[in-house]
């Protein structure tokens, strides 16, 4: 099989068979297929799409590209969640400690930032010393001790996704249903969890911009998971507006801590609690409403915050920052973005907010880029808020002043101000079982 023929077949709208898909994944992981051919195939898939069968085969080939976790000796029900990616989306840092503090085991593999969206692994590294590259033995002992561990994708678990994820990030091939579904589900299936809750984001800051596309992505992933014997549920949640007020790694971790301390933003609290409740419910902890109560109590009692601190400690991080978030490293420079007119914020382009944060140093332009963990944006005004001309709508944080003008102009262009407040839409738009 020549890679050239596979690329041409997909470019011309053909359907790849299982052998071709497995050969591509095997060859790419072995280093026999270069990045430029893999990029060409990704772009062909982006434009031509894949049938359900092709998407399932791509997922299984990626899952089978490395080791699979066996956590059966940990006992109990293990649950995982995964977001399709958004701006200011720090729900894993909240929902997972909530679930773990309610007695459901969390052994989670997360990703780094992708495109304009942030990633949990980058965020956790804002805790000085925090290790996301635990060995299997360290991972298991962290899970046993704290009931929770969140690690990056180890080189040996779904290595095909790790490689393709980094390549898609820099080749404009992220927002494709088969590529997102196979990326997410391959690592979820390589990890040994019983239940998976998917947070499928929809809106201007999500890879899928409409509820229809997001629902299709949710159904594709739920079906793949069920075929592999997992208990699955997907929530379609709003990403037309960044979640919470913080965008950028250390800023987002501090905001997650504020939610776990019962004083975080209402939108972020609602979505995180809902995800936690659905995870608890899928894990058999009771009805959805009983699980909602359980999740709320885990925050009110301080149990979830304590669990986060235990996890940070077990993974080598400085857990003092959980109770003293003022110790997080601060950006060298800050800049206030002011409204150019008075009125209401009628809409924002959340993807551009993510891009502005990336321009400040919080994300990557190239695979090998280092990120600035303290860079990012704190939103002072969000969609629906009234603003006066000259009022601060956001504060930017970066290592160098010269990064501000480009980020400011992206942010201002992405913020629409008008005379009437916009209609609110719910944060949880649908549940796909
Ligand atoms: N999250 C992933 O893990 N993969 C994607 O492709 C998008 C979001």
């Amino acid at each position: 099989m020549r890679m050239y023929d596979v690329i041409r077949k997909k470019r011309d709208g053909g359907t790849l068979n299982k052998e071709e898909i497995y050969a591509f994944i095997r060859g790419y992981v072995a280093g026999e297929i270069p990045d430029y051919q893999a990029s060409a195939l990704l772009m062909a898939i982006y434009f031509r799409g894949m049938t359900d069968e092709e998407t399932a085969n791509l997922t299984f080939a990626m899952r089978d590209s490395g080791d699979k976790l066996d956590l059966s000796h940990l006992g109990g029900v293990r649950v995982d969640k995964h977001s399709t990616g958004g701006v200011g989306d720090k729900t894993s840092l909240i929902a997972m400690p909530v679930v773990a503090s309610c007695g459901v085991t969390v052994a989670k593999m997360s990703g780094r930032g992708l495109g304009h969206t942030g990633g949990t692994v980058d965020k956790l590294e804002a805790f000085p010393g925090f290790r996301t590259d635990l060995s299997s033995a360290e991972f298991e002992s962290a899970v046993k001790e704290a009931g929770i561990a969140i690690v990056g994708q180890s080189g040996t678990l779904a290595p095909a996704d790790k490689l393709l994820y980094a390549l898609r990030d820099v080749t404009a091939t992220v927002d494709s249903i088969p590529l997102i579904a196979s990326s997410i589900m391959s690592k979820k299936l390589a990890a040994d969890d019983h239940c998976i809750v998917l947070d499928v984001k929809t809106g201007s800051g999500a890879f899928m911009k409409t509820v229809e596309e997001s629902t299709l992505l949710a159904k594709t992933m739920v079906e793949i998971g069920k075929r592999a014997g997992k208990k699955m549920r997907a929530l379609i949640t709003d990403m037309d507006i960044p979640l919470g007020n913080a965008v950028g790694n250390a800023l987002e971790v501090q905001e997650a801590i504020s939610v776990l301390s019962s004083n975080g933003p209402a939108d972020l609290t609602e979505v995180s609690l809902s995800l936690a409740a659905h995870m608890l419910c899928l894990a058999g902890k009771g009805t959805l409403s009983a699980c909602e109560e359980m999740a709320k109590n885990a925050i009110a009692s301080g149990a979830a915050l304590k669990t986060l601190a235990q996890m940070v400690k077990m993974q080598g991080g400085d857990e003092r920052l959980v109770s003293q978030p003022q110790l997080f490293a601060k950006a060298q420079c800050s800049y206030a973005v002011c409204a150019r007119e008075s009125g209401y914020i009628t809409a924002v382009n959340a993807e551009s907010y993510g891009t502005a944060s990336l321009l400040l140093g919080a994300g990557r332009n190239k695979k090998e880029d280092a990120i600035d963990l303290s860079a990012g944006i704190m939103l002072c005004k969000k969609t629906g808020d009234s603003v006066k001309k000259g009022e601060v709508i956001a504060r930017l944080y970066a290592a160098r002043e010269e990064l501000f003008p480009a980020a400011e102009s992206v942010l201002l262009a992405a913020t629409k101000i008008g005379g009437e407040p916009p209609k609110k839409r719910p944060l949880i738009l649908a549940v796909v079982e």
Side-chain angles (χ1 to χ4, degrees):
M1 186 213 71
R2 285 197 318 152
M3 189 58 195
Y4 177 93
D5 297 324
V6 174
I7 297 168
R8 192 171 60 174
K9 186 172 182 188
K10 186 41 78 183
R11 183 201 68 186
D12 295 344
T15 301
L16 302 180
N17 60 39
K18 187 172 171 185
E19 289 66 43
E20 288 163 334
I21 291 173
Y22 267 78
F24 160 58
I25 293 298
R26 255 195 307 268
Y28 187 54
V29 172
E32 290 154 8
I33 294 170
D35 275 356
Y36 55 82
Q37 284 190 314
S39 305
L41 182 62
L42 292 174
M43 194 56 88
I45 294 172
Y46 179 92
F47 281 114
R48 292 296 190 170
M50 280 185 139
T51 63
D52 288 349
E53 191 65 19
E54 282 179 295
T55 308
N57 281 331
L58 181 59
T59 308
F60 299 146
M62 286 161 72
R63 173 199 63 191
D64 298 342
S65 65
D67 297 337
K68 295 186 192 76
L69 281 182
D70 177 5
L71 299 172
S72 48
H73 54 285
L74 291 174
V77 179
R78 290 178 302 283
V79 60
D80 198 358
K81 98 163 242 289
H82 201 91
S83 159
T84 55
V87 178
D89 177 15
K90 63 287 282 179
T91 53
S92 287
L93 301 175
I94 302 160
M96 301 322 275
V98 166
V99 166
S101 70
C102 294
V104 174
T105 303
V106 173
K108 180 166 171 53
M109 232 172 35
S110 284
R112 295 197 179 274
L114 186 64
H116 64 280
T117 69
T120 303
V121 166
D122 291 331
K123 291 173 204 187
L124 282 169
E125 286 177 353
F127 284 105
F130 193 97
R131 287 182 50 219
T132 53
D133 60 346
L134 303 185
S135 67
S136 309
E138 288 169 327
F139 184 53
E140 284 175 28
S141 87
V143 173
K144 272 195 192 135
E145 188 67 27
I148 177 172
I150 302 181
V151 291
Q153 242 172 299
S154 96
T156 60
L157 274 183
D161 177 57
K162 192 176 162 104
L163 294 169
L164 290 174
Y165 193 92
L167 192 61
R168 287 167 56 221
D169 189 22
V170 290
T171 54
T173 49
V174 173
D175 46 343
S176 141
I177 289 182
L179 295 179
I180 296 178
S182 56
S183 162
I184 292 179
M185 292 310 296
S186 62
K187 45 193 179 238
K188 297 297 105 178
L189 298 184
D192 191 20
D193 292 299
H194 304 100
C195 317
I196 302 169
V197 171
L198 300 167
D199 180 9
V200 181
K201 302 281 183 201
T202 194
S204 67
F207 293 122
M208 298 294 119
K209 307 293 182 202
T210 65
V211 176
E212 291 70 31
E213 284 174 317
S214 304
T215 306
L216 188 58
L217 174 61
K219 285 185 174 157
T220 306
M221 292 193 288
V222 165
E223 279 313 312
I224 293 172
K226 282 186 173 168
R227 272 168 80 151
K230 307 287 179 186
K231 279 172 118 182
M232 300 291 304
R233 194 173 289 182
L235 272 63
I236 312 285
T237 68
D238 182 66
M239 187 33 74
D240 230 15
I241 308 172
L243 202 48
N245 302 321
V247 182
N249 301 289
L251 297 172
E252 293 193 37
V253 176
Q254 291 170 71
E255 189 167 71
I257 292 171
S258 75
V259 171
L260 290 173
S261 310
S262 302
N263 57 15
D267 58 346
L268 176 60
T269 306
E270 181 183 332
V271 176
S272 304
L273 281 175
S274 182
L275 287 164
H278 279 281
M279 279 189 272
L280 291 168
C281 184
L282 215 55
K285 283 285 187 182
T287 61
L288 186 60
S289 62
C291 291
E292 279 164 359
E293 263 327 286
M294 213 181 285
K296 277 187 198 152
N297 288 339
I299 291 188
S301 67
L305 189 68
K306 206 164 142 205
T307 299
L308 175 71
Q310 273 173 330
M311 178 185 89
V312 172
K313 183 172 171 204
M314 285 305 295
Q315 296 194 226
D318 186 346
E319 84 272 21
R320 286 175 310 151
L321 275 69
V322 173
S323 50
Q324 300 170 67
Q326 69 278 9
L327 297 180
F328 276 98
K330 300 274 177 301
Q332 302 251 301
C333 313
S334 70
Y335 177 86
V337 178
C338 299
R340 300 285 157 97
E341 56 193 308
S342 299
Y344 290 93
I345 300 189
T346 54
V348 299
N349 183 322
E351 175 168 347
S352 297
Y353 276 46
T355 304
S357 171
L358 200 142
L359 292 173
L360 294 168
R364 298 176 184 81
N365 287 307
K366 296 192 296 311
K367 275 202 289 189
E368 45 290 326
D369 283 353
I371 57 174
D372 176 357
L373 292 168
S374 54
I377 307 172
M378 282 305 293
L379 303 174
C380 308
K381 296 283 179 181
K382 291 182 60 173
T383 308
D385 288 344
S386 69
V387 289
K388 290 205 170 58
K389 187 174 172 182
E391 201 175 359
V392 178
I393 56 172
R395 286 187 198 281
L396 311 184
Y397 297 92
R400 301 189 315 277
E401 302 267 350
E402 76 238 32
L403 298 175
F404 292 136
E408 180 187 35
S409 62
V410 169
L411 203 84
L412 284 173
T415 309
K416 300 279 164 262
I417 296 181
E420 295 291 325
K423 253 187 150 169
K424 258 194 155 176
R425 79 166 174 176
L427 289 165
I428 315 291
L429 292 143
V431 178
V432 175
E433 301 255 12

